[in-house]
Amino acid sequence: MDPETALEFVKHGATLLLLDVPQYTLLGIDTQMFTVGPAFKGIKMIPPGPHFVYYSSSSRNGKEFSPIIGFSIHAGPSEVIVRKWDQQEELLVKVSEEEEERFSQAVKSLEFDRHLGPYNLSQYREWKRLSNYLTKNVIERIEPIGGEITVASESVMIKNSPKTAMEKALEEQLETSKFSASASASVDKSKKRGCYYTKIPHTELLESILMKDYGGSEDLLIGELQFSYIAFLMGQSLEAFLQWKSLVSLLLGCIDAPFHTRSQLFTKFIKVIYYQLKYGLQKDREETNCAGVGVSTLLDESWFSADSFLHRLCKDFFLLVQDALVVDGDLLMWTRSLKELLETSLGWEFQQNSAVDGMYFEDDDEYAPVVEMMDDTNYNEAEAA
C-alpha cells in the first residue's frame, strides 16, 4: 500500500485507542488476532461499521490466560474510540468524556500513529460476510449492560438449561481449555448481566416470532443470528452458542415458509450460515496469533458430529428442498452450496430417499422442482464487493 493511500485510510478509518494494555495480552478484532507488544496502543484504519473486539490477558510466564472478554463497537468514519486498561479488574474500560476528547485530538494529530497497528484490510471482506446484517440497532438491542461478554460468568445463568452431551462437552471445553481455572474463579459472577437475546420457544411459529419480537423485520432476526455466532466464535460465549442454535433450529425446522411466504428470508439465512460455517471450519487458515496459544476463532469439528442437531436439521431441510414443487432460484443455489460445504468440510453424508440426489437434478428430469426466480429488485443483502 502506497503512503498516500495509507494516509487516507488513517484519516477516514476509525481508530481504536487501547491504553496501558499489558504486554503478551491476546487481542482480537473481527477475524484478526495478535499478541500485544510493548509499544502497542491500539488499531488504526478500521473500516466504519460494526466490529467485535476481544482479549485475554496473560500471566507473566505466558502460560495462563484470563477468560476471554469481548465487546461490540459500531465505528463511524474517522471516529476515535478510547479504552484504558484497568489493572485491578483486568478489563478495558471507558474513559471520561474529557479524556476521550483529549485523546481523540491526539490521535487525529497523529501523535499515537507509530504505536497503532493497522487493521488488516485484506481480511475485511471475510468479516463483512459475517457481519453484513449487524447494524447499530442490532447491537444495542442485544448487548449486555456494560457491553462485556465472557463465558467465565455465564455458568450461573445457563447451568439449569437443558443441554445435550455435545453442549456439555462444549461448556467444559470453553471453561477449561481456553484459560486457567484460577483466572476464571476470579471473575465476579454477581456483576454479570447477560445479552438480551430473543427468547425462542420450541413450539412457537416463525411468523409469530418475527412479528412479535422483531416487528416483522427479517434483517433484525438475521442480525441476531450473526451477533450470536460472532459472540460464540470470537467471544467464546456458551450463551451465544445456545442462542445461535435456537435460531438455526427455528429456521431449519420450517416446512412451508421457505417456499411460500419467506423465500427471501431463507435465502439470506442459508447464505449467512454458509459463510459462518465456511469461515469457522476452514483448516488451512493461519491464525495471526504470535504466541501460538490461547484463543482460536476456528470451530472444533467435534462440536458438529454426524449425530448433532445441525446434521439432523440440515438433512431434513435438504430433503424438503428436494421434494418442493417450486423453489426460489437463489435459495436452491445457496442450499446446494451449504450441502457441498458440509460434505467436503465435515465428511457428512446426506442420503436421500430417492435414487437420485435431489439437489443435483439433470436438466431433463421430469421430477425436478421448478426453479422460480423471485422479483428481488428491492432485495439488497449488503454484501461487500
Side-chain angles (χ1 to χ4, degrees):
M1 183 182 299
D2 62 82
E4 289 186 6
T5 303
L7 185 59
E8 284 300 306
F9 276 114
V10 170
K11 288 182 176 179
H12 297 102
T15 300
L16 183 62
L17 187 65
L18 304 172
L19 301 170
D20 302 331
V21 181
Q23 189 174 357
Y24 308 121
T25 297
L26 296 178
L27 183 73
I29 180 170
D30 305 338
T31 62
Q32 305 168 36
M33 289 180 58
F34 43 87
T35 302
V36 169
F40 174 84
K41 293 188 185 299
I43 304 167
K44 62 183 177 181
M45 301 164 61
I46 301 172
H51 299 280
F52 190 74
V53 182
Y54 47 105
Y55 56 93
S56 173
S57 60
S58 168
S59 60
R60 290 186 177 181
N61 60 15
K63 293 183 179 180
E64 292 186 341
F65 293 85
S66 68
I68 299 162
I69 298 172
F71 59 92
S72 297
I73 60 173
H74 198 283
S78 304
E79 182 179 2
V80 178
I81 299 170
V82 184
R83 297 287 189 275
K84 190 173 184 178
W85 187 261
D86 185 307
Q87 189 72 29
Q88 184 175 355
E89 297 289 336
E90 292 193 335
L91 288 173
L92 285 169
V93 298
K94 295 181 180 180
V95 298
S96 67
E97 290 185 10
E98 182 181 342
E99 283 183 298
E100 187 164 42
E101 177 61 27
R102 180 165 53 86
F103 284 126
S104 294
Q105 291 302 321
V107 168
K108 291 175 181 178
S109 300
L110 304 181
E111 294 179 28
F112 285 98
D113 196 60
R114 66 189 181 93
H115 298 290
L116 301 174
Y119 185 98
N120 188 344
L121 294 169
S122 67
Q123 294 187 35
Y124 179 59
R125 180 169 182 170
E126 190 170 49
W127 167 250
K128 189 68 174 176
R129 286 170 169 168
L130 297 176
S131 63
N132 54 328
Y133 292 96
L134 199 59
T135 63
K136 188 174 184 179
N137 184 28
V138 169
I139 293 172
E140 290 175 348
R141 287 179 79 245
I142 301 173
E143 67 179 351
I145 296 173
E148 287 85 14
I149 298 172
T150 175
V151 70
S153 52
E154 290 179 359
S155 58
V156 174
M157 300 160 47
I158 61 178
K159 68 178 181 179
N160 295 324
S161 62
K163 292 185 284 291
T164 65
M166 180 271 291
E167 290 162 3
K168 290 177 182 177
L170 171 59
E171 180 177 18
E172 181 179 351
Q173 182 174 353
L174 289 178
E175 291 189 344
T176 60
S177 67
K178 301 301 182 186
F179 43 78
S180 70
S182 60
S184 177
S186 68
V187 175
D188 186 353
K189 294 182 173 62
S190 66
K191 295 181 180 179
K192 170 64 181 178
R193 292 173 175 85
C195 290
Y196 293 91
Y197 292 121
T198 303
K199 292 184 179 179
I200 310 294
H202 292 295
T203 57
E204 197 157 354
L205 298 177
L206 169 63
E207 198 64 28
S208 63
I209 291 175
L210 262 176
M211 301 310 295
K212 182 182 69 174
D213 297 304
Y214 298 98
S217 172
E218 298 177 351
D219 288 0
L220 276 181
L221 187 152
I222 298 297
E224 184 163 340
L225 180 74
Q226 290 188 332
F227 184 102
S228 58
Y229 182 81
I230 291 164
F232 157 56
L233 195 64
M234 283 83 173
Q236 301 287 295
S237 166
L238 181 59
E239 179 193 23
F241 172 78
L242 295 175
Q243 181 66 11
W244 181 79
K245 175 188 173 183
S246 294
L247 290 168
V248 169
S249 299
L250 170 70
L251 289 160
L252 286 179
C254 293
I255 60 175
D256 183 70
F259 313 107
H260 298 97
T261 58
R262 296 288 179 178
S263 291
Q264 289 189 356
L265 167 61
F266 277 84
T267 301
K268 297 175 189 177
F269 162 62
I270 295 297
K271 186 175 181 179
V272 163
I273 63 169
Y274 169 82
Y275 282 123
Q276 288 178 340
L277 295 174
K278 182 181 180 182
Y279 171 77
L281 293 171
Q282 53 191 313
K283 301 182 181 71
D284 58 350
R285 178 174 171 270
E286 293 183 5
E287 294 282 1
T288 55
N289 174 358
C290 301
V293 293
V295 184
S296 172
T297 57
L298 300 182
L299 293 175
D300 185 333
E301 288 184 15
S302 65
W303 300 349
F304 298 109
S305 60
D307 60 350
S308 72
F309 84 98
L310 189 61
H311 182 276
R312 173 177 51 81
L313 288 170
C314 283
K315 182 177 180 180
D316 291 345
F317 186 81
F318 295 157
L319 185 60
L320 195 68
V321 173
Q322 169 192 315
D323 292 341
L325 296 178
V326 179
V327 182
D328 173 54
D330 287 337
L331 176 58
L332 181 62
M333 179 187 71
W334 284 105
T335 303
R336 284 174 172 170
S337 298
L338 177 62
K339 179 175 180 287
E340 183 179 350
L341 174 69
L342 295 174
E343 288 173 337
T344 56
S345 298
L346 295 173
W348 284 359
E349 295 181 1
F350 298 99
Q351 298 296 330
Q352 306 295 342
N353 296 333
S354 169
V356 295
D357 181 345
M359 304 303 293
Y360 299 95
F361 287 103
E362 298 294 336
D363 291 339
D364 59 352
D365 188 342
E366 64 177 309
Y367 297 105
V370 175
V371 177
E372 183 175 277
M373 302 307 295
M374 300 290 187
D375 179 12
D376 58 357
T377 54
N378 295 321
Y379 177 31
N380 177 16
E381 293 185 288
E383 183 187 0

